Amino acid sequence: MQHVLTQRTRFGLLLATAYLALSWAVRVDTRAGRQNASLVYPLDTFSMYADLPEPQQTAILLRDARGNVHRVEDYAALACEPLAEPLFTQCPTPIRLGHKGDEVLRHVRRHAAPAVDGVPVQLIARSWQLRPGDLPQWQNDCLLARCVVRP
């Protein structure tokens, strides 16, 4: 009985080691950052939890004429000016987006409409500074494009 238990333990350790090795071998990085999206499930290394968040965070949002901000995903049709390429060259500070920012920009491109009868807004990159033990502090808004949106 002791011999069977030892074989099962060895087999379990071998499987766990093989899983870890395979997880790192198929790691996928995105243009938004190193080890940002090792998304080959179940071979995921969960790299999103590996590091502390960057001190500067940025979100892509829509700002209306009153200055209120809205999520881009809340709108089904967006007619925007062409985005500058490379993106964020007009911003005063370097912008780094994570995988969520990439998803928002894909939404803008997927839901682009040639002309929309709707509300004029600005597509912005809003940045804020994170400090331990303090509230996030707004840093700046960078205008990416002028748009017209329809819910």
Side-chain angles (χ1 to χ4, degrees):
M1 185 67 174
Q2 182 67 22
H3 181 66
V4 173
L5 185 60
T6 305
Q7 284 181 334
R8 286 185 180 169
T9 304
R10 285 183 187 160
F11 184 69
L13 287 172
L14 177 67
L15 282 178
T17 304
Y19 171 81
L20 288 173
L22 194 56
S23 294
W24 283 102
V26 296
R27 187 182 76 218
V28 178
D29 296 336
T30 66
R31 70 178 196 275
R34 183 178 64 81
Q35 295 180 3
N36 189 39
S38 51
L39 298 176
V40 184
Y41 187 82
L43 305 175
D44 195 340
T45 58
F46 301 102
S47 57
M48 66 184 110
Y49 302 114
D51 296 321
L52 294 173
E54 295 286 328
Q56 177 184 332
Q57 296 290 315
T58 302
I60 305 295
L61 301 166
L62 293 169
R63 182 175 57 199
D64 63 22
R66 294 183 186 159
N68 298 323
V69 294
H70 308 274
R71 291 173 21 135
V72 173
E73 297 92 337
D74 292 343
Y75 296 92
L78 300 102
C80 295
E81 302 170 339
L83 296 174
E85 291 295 335
L87 201 57
F88 309 123
T89 53
Q90 70 273 29
C91 298
T93 58
I95 302 290
R96 290 186 55 195
L97 289 177
H99 67 281
K100 182 65 178 161
D102 287 340
E103 288 175 19
V104 171
L105 290 174
R106 274 195 298 276
H107 179 85
V108 169
R109 291 182 177 109
R110 256 185 283 150
H111 294 84
V116 172
D117 184 26
V119 180
V121 294
Q122 296 175 331
L123 183 69
I124 62 169
R126 175 164 282 183
S127 298
W128 60 92
Q129 196 73 22
L130 298 178
R131 293 191 179 98
D134 200 2
L135 293 173
Q137 295 181 348
W138 173 80
Q139 206 170 17
N140 62 44
D141 287 348
C142 177
L143 178 64
L144 301 176
R146 286 174 175 56
C147 304
V148 176
V149 298
R150 184 181 66 228

